[in-house]
Amino acid sequence: MAEPEFSARGVRIARWPRSLTRAGEVRIEDGRLALLTSYGSEIDSAPVSAVRAGRPWFAKADETVATVNGTRYRLTLQDEHRGGGEAEAEAASGRFLAALKRAAGRS
């Protein structure tokens, strides 16, 4: 089994206005983005070429909005209770966005 191109655990995944999981996982592997619950069940997945993601101006540094199969999800990539600063939170969401672009072949 190949190593995922990006994997983050402890991610809060929300679909407005409801939180789906507070300890989920975001994984980019074999050209697909998968959103998983803390138990490993799939919330949603799609080929990375069909996923839109970005950081809106109103979002916090650790938040990213991704549209997967027409559904918008708010991904919080670092819990503020775990420590680390705003720079680390921004770096985590930046790594996610960069990995998504790389996997989709966009530059």
Side-chain angles (χ1 to χ4, degrees), residues 35-72:
L35 305 177
L36 308 169
T37 67
S38 55
Y39 298 110
S41 301
E42 188 175 284
I43 296 170
D44 207 346
S45 71
V48 290
S49 59
V51 174
R52 288 182 33 215
R55 192 174 322 147
W57 64 270
F58 56 83
K60 296 178 187 170
D62 61 350
E63 291 180 348
T64 302
V65 175
T67 304
V68 181
N69 293 326
T71 305
R72 288 177 45 176

Side-chain angles (χ1 to χ4, degrees), residues 13 23 27 32 41 71 84 97:
I13 301 173
R27 182 181 291 176
R32 289 188 69 79
S41 301
T71 305
L97 293 172

